[in-house]
Amino acid sequence: MAQHQVNYAASGGLPVALTTVDKLVNWGRTNSLWVLTYGLACCAIEMMASGASRYDFDRFGVIFRASPRQADVMIVAGTLTKKHAEFIRRLYDQMAEPKWVISMGSCANTGGMFNTYATVQGVDRVIPVDIYLPGCAPRPETLQYAVMLLQKQIRKRSIFQKPKPKRLV
Amino acid sequence: MQQRNRLEPYFENLVFERDDNHMVINFGPQHPSAHGQLRLILEMDGEQVAKAWPDIGYLHRGMEKMAENMIYNEFLPTTDRMDYIAATSNNYAFALAVERLLGIEDKVPRRAKVIRMILLELNRIISHLFWLATHALDVGAMSVFLYCFREREYAMDLMEDYCGARLTHSAVRIGGVPLDLPEGWLERLNWFLNILPEQIELYEGLLSENRIWRMRLENVGVIPPEMAKQWACSGIMLRGSGIPYDIRKEEPYELYDEVDFDVPVSETCDSYGRYKLYMEEMRQSIRIIRQLIPMYKETEPQLLAHVPEYISAHKEDIMTQNYSLMQHFVLVTQGMRPPVGEVYVPTESPKGELGFYIRSEGEPYPYRMKIRAPSFWHTGILQDLLPGHYLADVVTIIGSTNIVFGEIDR
């Protein structure tokens, strides 16, 4: 992060580190992605497993929150049904900007194997999605990789530019 | 009744603004300790629940309807997504129902039976560990969650070594199992069985005599035996009420009549008694698997039943014999055609009685498939169980019923 262009010894040993505001803010954002647990079905179990002892999501600064007001990322883990669709939209709207969405598993991406009258064929019909994560159910490593990709995406963002409005599919 | 405006919240016959002292609280469907998508509408009298309405259907994916448009083998992976914590027990219940419909239950090779039973009991351990982890987390014991998941991962590794999947196993086929146990698997299983009893003691040491745990569980969620029967409880919910009923003992399937195990029963009828039962059941599962390991070594290597009209022949036969290849082609493209008839087969899944009812009209697709999932009944009982309890106990009781929403809504 820091651009070590200052010779500390030469400038009287001042503890100065130069950086840009973008980098500083993005550094903070990427390393404390608090996640809204949106466990809907099977993938929720893998999401819990990635938060538990072996996979230890806390290393990424990912802490599961139960409230949308405290969360930055929504991990939609599982099948979204038409009966539930309005709730996911409401919780998404309750999250504070900046916010991101990871769609975890085939059901959340496209409806997966459940091409029926009851299932929403992909959460991107209801809320905008940043990262699609394939698998049925994806392994915890896959979820962690998705979070790393999201961090990469966030690092590219400048805080002075207005982000492009996210669109539904 | 149709909803008028989809963006406005809609509650059936429910008035949130009330004139008396009662308050109506909406719990879920997205609540971290609702174990999925349970929506509870609670009418509160102060801190106490006066009335409770469980509302389900938020994970209804139309599985029973899907089954009517799928050939039998095609539907098997869908059963994984029902009780996704112990997927093999669903696969097995479905496979057993179809086998009984076809009348080939006796033709399943002994090795397949032993492997199936090992997997079933391993799944029971996985499910019970998961139950303890989430239940303890809901009640407030975070460290138990981490400990339980540590051991659960070892069991998941075993499942992964066997079938390649961590969660959605599809490890059972109609007529047997697809694969033999990999090399060294039994040694790893043995290692796991050796470390598990110590770990169970660790959990019990953390919880059983813990004052907070006992205060939150004892005399909470008391289900009298009559109520358990009225609500068609099964599994631990029934045995926790002092009724010794286990389908593995009552109507033994597979080789359960050849192994020795006890059915623990608790007379206390409360959440604490059920917690004790879960711990004891894990020990019994270990005991069953220990007996199965020597049985496996004595069996012949055949894995799938030899019934050419329903089940594809061995790969080698398909590659060398024309007729086997033709039959295999027909079975894959059109599916097996069971005789006309209907069948209901109950099995003891980790949650209770899991049964498949299949009505066949002689076509490759079932005419109707009804899934009797234990969690559905255990959710229904909440409306009788919750009134009189405090709001904080609601989470304990939901945890103690061990419900899974993939199974309830299907």
Side-chain angles (χ1 to χ4, degrees):
Chain A
M1 175 201 80
Q3 306 278 310
H4 290 277
Q5 292 165 349
V6 179
N7 186 351
Y8 292 134
S11 56
L14 283 176
V16 176
L18 292 183
T19 180
T20 60
V21 178
D22 269 352
K23 278 185 179 160
L24 184 69
V25 170
N26 285 340
W27 171 74
R29 276 182 184 163
T30 48
N31 292 313
S32 66
L33 284 172
W34 283 13
V35 162
L36 171 67
T37 55
Y38 215 95
L40 294 171
C42 334
C43 294
I45 310 299
E46 290 298 62
M47 188 169 71
M48 286 172 82
S50 47
S53 0
R54 182 183 284 184
Y55 296 99
D56 193 11
F57 230 155
D58 294 3
R59 292 176 297 164
F60 296 81
V62 172
I63 296 173
F64 289 106
R65 305 305 298 182
S67 160
R69 312 273 185 200
Q70 303 167 349
D72 308 305
V73 187
M74 181 192 252
I75 298 181
V76 185
T79 321
L80 182 70
T81 56
K82 289 180 183 168
K83 195 174 178 183
H84 199 111
E86 64 176 278
F87 293 96
I88 202 170
R89 182 72 220 190
R90 203 189 298 172
L91 285 172
Y92 178 77
D93 289 341
Q94 282 177 3
M95 283 165 66
E97 288 279 359
K99 54 189 172 187
W100 298 274
V101 176
I102 294 175
S103 150
M104 181 179 181
S106 306
C107 290
N109 294 342
T110 63
M113 68 199 297
F114 299 104
N115 187 3
T116 59
Y117 55 90
T119 317
V120 176
Q121 301 297 307
V123 284
D124 49 11
R125 299 190 177 203
V126 187
I127 53 175
V129 175
D130 292 278
I131 303 267
Y132 294 91
L133 171 54
C136 183
R139 298 172 59 88
E141 291 96 329
T142 326
L143 180 60
Q144 294 183 335
Y145 182 59
V147 168
M148 283 155 74
L149 282 182
L150 183 66
Q151 288 177 336
K152 222 178 197 173
Q153 249 186 41
I154 295 169
R155 277 192 209 106
K156 282 184 194 154
R157 224 171 99 159
S158 168
I159 57 162
F160 298 111
Q161 280 169 0
K162 205 178 166 195
K164 282 181 200 159
K166 290 174 184 171
R167 303 240 309 263
L168 297 180
V169 171
Chain B
M1 194 184 113
Q2 277 290 315
Q3 204 172 327
R4 285 153 308 164
N5 180 358
R6 289 198 61 84
L7 292 173
E8 273 174 21
Y10 168 71
F11 305 100
E12 283 167 55
N13 307 325
L14 197 70
V15 186
F16 276 87
E17 308 296 325
R18 295 173 67 103
D19 297 331
D20 53 0
N21 286 329
H22 286 204
M23 182 171 72
V24 177
I25 285 183
N26 182 44
F27 179 102
Q30 179 46 41
H31 189 278
S33 62
H35 283 233
Q37 307 186 31
L38 169 66
R39 175 160 170 239
L40 269 177
I41 296 155
L42 301 168
E43 192 181 314
M44 306 293 297
D45 179 11
E47 264 291 280
Q48 279 183 319
V49 179
K51 227 173 170 189
W53 295 271
D55 183 9
I56 59 167
Y58 289 96
L59 194 55
H60 176 67
R61 305 185 270 199
M63 279 190 190
E64 288 176 5
K65 192 69 195 167
M66 280 167 78
E68 291 167 19
N69 296 309
M70 283 178 163
I71 62 172
Y72 289 89
N73 279 322
E74 220 177 344
F75 184 65
L76 199 120
T78 318
T79 57
D80 278 336
R81 278 87 186 163
M82 278 168 47
D83 176 3
Y84 34 78
I85 294 163
T88 305
S89 58
N90 304 313
N91 300 153
Y92 175 71
F94 173 68
L96 185 68
V98 178
E99 278 160 19
R100 201 163 287 178
L101 182 67
L102 300 173
I104 58 166
E105 205 191 339
D106 312 328
K107 293 181 182 164
V108 177
R110 195 173 164 84
R111 174 164 286 193
K113 285 187 175 177
V114 173
I115 294 175
R116 281 172 172 198
M117 267 179 74
I118 294 177
L119 296 179
L120 284 176
E121 292 307 316
L122 201 57
N123 267 269
R124 198 179 304 275
I125 293 172
I126 290 176
S127 171
H128 285 4
L129 279 174
F130 184 85
W131 170 82
L132 184 66
T134 49
H135 186 38
L137 187 66
D138 291 347
V139 175
M142 178 87 187
S143 45
V144 178
F145 168 78
L146 296 173
Y147 285 129
C148 287
F149 260 78
R150 184 181 62 191
E151 272 69 61
R152 185 171 171 270
E153 289 292 339
Y154 295 136
M156 302 275 272
D157 281 350
L158 286 170
M159 284 311 297
E160 199 183 338
D161 283 351
Y162 177 68
C163 64
R166 274 167 57 88
L167 209 63
T168 44
H169 306 139
S170 301
V172 172
R173 295 284 183 277
I174 296 165
V177 286
L179 303 158
D180 206 350
L181 298 179
E183 215 170 301
W185 197 82
L186 285 175
E187 286 74 45
R188 290 196 290 280
L189 179 68
N190 241 329
W191 175 82
F192 174 66
L193 296 181
N194 286 337
I195 62 153
L196 192 60
E198 289 169 29
Q199 301 299 331
I200 296 173
E201 268 169 38
L202 173 80
Y203 314 142
E204 285 186 323
L206 283 167
L207 296 173
S208 290
E209 298 305 320
N210 186 323
R211 257 185 306 163
I212 304 170
W213 182 257
R214 290 189 72 150
M215 279 166 78
R216 296 230 28 202
L217 262 72
E218 273 176 340
N219 293 320
V220 167
V222 177
I223 306 174
E226 303 78 47
M227 192 165 133
K229 281 185 197 162
Q230 279 167 5
W231 276 103
C233 283
S234 50
I236 285 186
M237 290 285 278
L238 188 66
R239 296 195 284 275
S241 299
I243 302 166
Y245 182 80
D246 188 321
I247 296 161
R248 291 176 291 174
K249 285 275 187 204
E250 303 292 323
E251 303 172 40
Y253 48 91
E254 292 299 285
L255 307 172
Y256 277 112
D257 44 356
E258 291 181 29
V259 290
D260 247 5
F261 66 101
D262 299 327
V263 179
V265 176
S266 162
E267 300 292 336
T268 53
C269 307
D270 60 354
S271 301
Y272 188 76
R274 290 195 284 275
Y275 149 74
K276 284 280 192 196
L277 289 189
Y278 277 106
M279 305 314 265
E280 191 51 40
E281 280 220 341
M282 276 198 264
R283 293 207 177 90
Q284 295 300 330
S285 291
I286 297 172
R287 198 172 142 200
I288 295 173
I289 301 179
R290 284 229 167 100
Q291 295 170 45
L292 286 167
I293 292 173
M295 282 163 83
Y296 170 80
K297 289 171 182 157
E298 291 161 8
T299 51
E300 301 289 316
Q302 197 193 348
L303 290 173
L304 274 171
H306 181 69
V307 195
E309 63 268 40
Y310 297 132
I311 291 159
S312 295
H314 194 261
K315 194 87 182 171
E316 207 178 294
D317 290 347
I318 294 174
M319 298 307 233
T320 52
Q321 292 171 24
N322 195 14
Y323 192 67
S324 295
L325 178 66
M326 279 157 61
Q327 267 181 332
H328 175 67
F329 184 73
V330 170
L331 284 173
V332 168
T333 51
Q334 296 177 12
M336 60 178 85
R337 291 169 186 273
V340 180
E342 57 186 14
V343 70
Y344 173 76
V345 183
T347 57
E348 183 80 17
S349 91
K351 311 239 164 1
E353 179 182 337
L354 174 68
F356 279 75
Y357 167 83
I358 301 172
R359 165 88 201 158
S360 161
E361 299 274 304
E363 287 178 355
Y365 313 97
Y367 180 74
R368 171 84 171 96
M369 180 177 296
K370 168 85 181 80
I371 303 161
R372 190 258 186 233
S375 300
F376 181 79
W377 274 263
H378 298 166
T379 320
I381 202 173
L382 288 176
Q383 55 188 282
D384 274 2
L385 198 55
L386 291 179
H389 283 289
Y390 289 100
L391 182 59
D393 293 337
V394 170
V395 172
T396 315
I397 293 170
I398 294 172
S400 145
T401 51
N402 195 7
I403 49 182
V404 157
F405 267 76
E407 200 175 57
I408 295 167
D409 297 331
R410 301 186 284 275

